[in-house]
Structure formats: structure tokens, C-alpha cells
Amino acid sequence: EVQLVQSGAEVKEPGESLKISCKGSGYSFTTYWIGWVRQMPGKGLEWMGIIYPGDSDTKYSPSFQGQVTISAGKSITTAYLQWSSLKASDTAMYYCVRQGDYDFDYWGQGTLVTVSS
Amino acid sequence: QSALTQPASVSGSPGQSITISCTETSSDVGGYNFVSWYQQYPGKAPKLMISDVSRRPSGVSNRFSGSKSGNTASLTISGLQAEDEADYYCSSYTSSSTWVFGGGTKLTVL
């Protein structure tokens, strides 16, 4: 069974750094792209970027390029999303997703990130 | 502003059919048949309902169908049921090798 299990909710202050994780299991982790989707409170889905764990090739949405870093540890079948300096506007639910052919066929349960002073 | 435009809301009565549109407003997504649809209940992760414009993944009810004409993709739900009340999002691959989501449509079952 394919599963994407994300790390737990985080509460941070502006300016702090953060790295959240998404562990994949039940499939060949290195042969599927895995990405991140943001959902701000009461808002729609936003595609952030995606990584191919096999060779770490990464693509970002222009809206998120330079704002976040996506990485993956293929030996531990885990993808990461990190910020070096959080802002209040980063408060959102973040979902990791497995890319099928040209869709997102499996979703993690979501990680709620709250940034507040 | 998203490159995919969806109506903010649609509604229908049980048993009826409804259609949610997804119009490509940017040439970046034009011409691709890589449109997918997702259903999201409040507080839950989205679920893939339709891929490649009209392909239904295993386990998805055949009441859900997808199509595309010109620059507009559509999700049709037939035999509307109370459990269909949710938010629906379209998504498309772009010429920049990235993805974009529509703004989402809230479906209300009257």
C-alpha cells in the first residue's frame, strides 16, 4: 500500500527556520516525482515544486522559487520542505504528493505550519 | 491569479447532474490533455478523482466523469449524492514542466 506520512504540526516564530518531512512507503521511492502543495487557511491549492529522488532533479513554481527548498533522502525514502526564515504568510497546511503520470495520485495527510509571534 | 479558472460555487439537488468547468486562461497550459481533478472534504487531504482529462482511477465512482473541449475541461457528477458535497480542484501540467491548480469550486448539494 502506497503511503505518504508527514511530520507533525509546527508552531514557529517569524524569522525561524523549519524543515518538514514526508516519508514514502509501499512503492519505489526513487522512481516517482514527489512534490509539495500549499493550502493557506480557507484558500485553494497551490503547487510549490517537485523533486525526483532518483537524481534530485527539482522544479519549482515561480511563486515559490527562492522561498523554499525541496530535498530528498532516497536512502530513507523521505522528502523535505524547508524554509530558512519563516514569515507569518507561510502559515498554511502543506501536503506532500506523489506524482503519477501527469497527476497527483497519492497525498500525505498534511502538515500544519503556524508562524506567529 | 491562477492560469485555470473555475466557478467559485455550484449547486444541485440529489439525483441531478452538475458540471464544473476549468478554463485555461494562459497559453502555458493550452493544448495539454493532462488535466486532473481532485475532491477535498473540509479538513482532509485532496483525493484524485479524474486524471488525463477523463481517466477515472480505480475505486472512483463512475458517477464522476471528465471531458475537455477547446480550452475548457469539465468535471461532471451524475446522480448527485449528499456525500459529493466538497471542494473540487482542477490541475494541469504546463509548458514550463510545472503544475497549476484552479481556484477551486465549492459544490453544495441542496
Side-chain angles (χ1 to χ4, degrees), chain B residues 31-53:
Chain B
Y32 286 105
N33 285 326
F34 300 136
V35 177
S36 50
W37 289 91
Y38 303 86
Q39 175 192 63
Q40 186 181 32
Y41 293 117
K44 300 296 186 183
K47 173 188 174 185
L48 176 66
M49 303 301 284
I50 296 288
S51 60
D52 299 338
V53 172

Side-chain angles (χ1 to χ4, degrees), chain A residues 23-79:
Chain A
K23 183 170 178 60
S25 62
Y27 72 100
S28 176
F29 185 76
T30 56
T31 60
Y32 285 84
W33 291 82
I34 190 163
W36 293 91
V37 174
R38 182 175 80 174
Q39 189 167 38
M40 299 177 75
K43 302 298 184 183
L45 305 175
E46 300 173 89
W47 184 83
M48 301 177 71
I50 206 159
I51 188 168
Y52 190 75
D55 61 7
S56 294
D57 187 16
T58 310
K59 306 178 197 291
Y60 291 93
S61 161
S63 298
F64 293 94
Q65 180 82 47
Q67 308 304 308
V68 297
T69 301
I70 295 172
S71 60
K74 58 184 179 183
S75 63
I76 54 173
T77 67
T78 300

Side-chain angles (χ1 to χ4, degrees), chain B residues 71-108:
Chain B
N71 67 340
T72 298
S74 299
L75 173 70
T76 298
I77 308 174
S78 58
L80 205 59
Q81 299 179 0
E83 68 197 47
D84 299 329
E85 185 163 294
D87 294 326
Y88 292 85
Y89 295 90
C90 61
S91 177
S92 180
Y93 183 67
T94 79
S95 59
S96 305
S97 301
T98 60
W99 274 257
V100 63
F101 284 98
T105 298
K106 180 177 180 60
L107 169 61
T108 300

Side-chain angles (χ1 to χ4, degrees), chain A residues 7 30 66 91:
Chain A
S7 50
T30 56
T91 294

